[in-house]
């Protein structure tokens, strides 16, 4: 009995620690009714990393230097990979999960570059913890974002704002790539947001 109670407590703690929190702080979902396309933009200008909230510039500089000291050329290549991951990993992961749940069943499609769409979703990436995978020790990445739906022609008109905190990011079986772990955080955020929107669209259909 004691073992069962201990196991249950451990599971509860795991959900609490690694579960993503997503909260509407302004607006509602009514603007989505009748919409077919939503423009999406990713903003990294407010990004901080790790628990000391270091700037992205500081993180990239320090990480590049660290890798260069170990093996010349590796650090510079990593810096290029870090920047490229925004377009090659993070954005595609987020959009894939959004459209998986909303495109076919609800006819609501999210994509970058849809400047003619009435509304734009700005994914403001505010905090990243890259996590780690060293030998038998692993810790998933974490991602926090502000998801801001605005009128494309009037960005000051925010119709819905959601705070998404601590989306866990890790691949099944683990990965040694920080960027892959972070990418899974974007996928988790996309999935959670899509499921929230799905619930609201179901009610609008009734």
């Amino acid at each position: 009995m004691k073992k069962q109670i201990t196991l249950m407590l451990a599971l509860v703690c795991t959900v609490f620690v690694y579960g993503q929190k997503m909260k509407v702080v302004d607006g509602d979902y009514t603007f989505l009714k009748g919409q077919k396309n939503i423009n999406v933009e990713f903003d990294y200008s407010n990004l901080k990393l790790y628990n000391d909230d270091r700037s992205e510039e500081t993180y990239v500089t320090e990480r590049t230097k660290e890798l260069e000291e170990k093996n010349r050329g590796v650090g510079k290549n990593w810096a290029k990979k870090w920047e490229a991951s925004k377009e090659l990993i993070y954005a595609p992961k987020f959009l894939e999960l959004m459209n998986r749940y909303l495109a076919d069943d609800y006819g609501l499609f999210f994509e970058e570059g849809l400047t003619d769409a009435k509304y734009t979703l700005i994914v403001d990436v505010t905090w990243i913890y890259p996590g780690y995978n060293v030998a038998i020790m692993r810790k998933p990445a974490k991602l926090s974002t502000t998801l801001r739906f605005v009128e494309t022609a009037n960005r000051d008109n925010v119709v819905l704002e959601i705070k998404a905190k601590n989306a866990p990011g890790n691949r099944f079986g683990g990965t040694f790539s920080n960027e892959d772990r972070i990418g899974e955080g974007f996928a988790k955020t996309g999935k959670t947001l899509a499921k929230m929107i799905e619930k609201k669209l179901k009610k609008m259909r009734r």
Side-chain angles (χ1 to χ4, degrees), residues 81-202:
K81 180 182 177 182
W82 170 264
E83 190 61 31
S85 294
K86 296 173 183 178
E87 290 297 324
L88 300 180
I89 300 177
Y90 307 159
K93 285 282 189 179
F94 178 87
L95 294 171
E96 178 187 351
L97 269 294
M98 289 292 292
N99 290 319
R100 180 181 299 177
Y101 291 94
L102 299 173
D104 290 339
D105 292 341
Y106 298 92
L108 184 59
F109 191 73
F110 290 76
E111 187 178 3
E112 293 179 281
L114 297 179
T115 54
D116 291 335
K118 185 174 182 179
Y119 297 102
T120 292
L121 166 58
I122 300 174
V123 181
D124 186 0
V125 184
T126 56
W127 184 75
I128 289 175
Y129 174 75
Y132 57 82
N133 186 353
V134 182
I136 61 172
M137 298 182 65
R138 298 176 184 171
K139 195 164 187 179
K142 293 181 184 179
L143 171 72
S144 293
T145 55
T146 298
L147 306 167
R148 193 176 296 111
F149 289 87
V150 302
E151 191 176 351
T152 303
N154 179 15
R155 300 304 180 91
D156 292 330
N157 182 19
V158 180
V159 294
L160 174 64
E161 184 171 316
I162 299 171
K163 295 287 186 181
K165 187 176 180 181
N166 293 339
N170 203 8
R171 277 189 174 182
F172 180 78
T175 174
F176 292 102
S177 169
N178 286 355
E179 292 71 46
D180 286 342
R181 282 192 299 274
I182 294 167
E184 292 305 312
F186 276 88
K188 175 64 175 177
T189 301
K191 179 179 179 179
T192 304
L193 177 60
K195 298 298 282 185
M196 288 176 67
I197 291 175
E198 184 180 35
K199 289 181 181 179
K200 299 299 179 180
L201 292 178
K202 281 183 179 178

Side-chain angles (χ1 to χ4, degrees), residues 37-90:
N37 296 300
I38 302 293
N39 183 43
V40 182
E41 296 177 2
F42 294 83
D43 182 2
Y44 294 87
S45 62
N46 299 310
L47 175 60
K48 303 294 183 183
L49 293 105
Y50 288 97
N51 293 330
D52 58 358
D53 288 338
R54 70 190 72 172
S55 68
E56 182 181 11
E57 181 181 2
T58 298
Y59 170 67
V60 172
T61 299
E62 292 177 346
R63 180 65 173 160
T64 301
K65 181 181 179 182
E66 177 187 356
L67 292 172
E68 281 290 312
E69 289 175 349
K70 293 180 180 178
N71 196 344
R72 186 176 178 181
V74 173
K76 293 179 181 179
N77 288 334
W78 170 84
K80 293 177 182 178
K81 180 182 177 182
W82 170 264
E83 190 61 31
S85 294
K86 296 173 183 178
E87 290 297 324
L88 300 180
I89 300 177
Y90 307 159

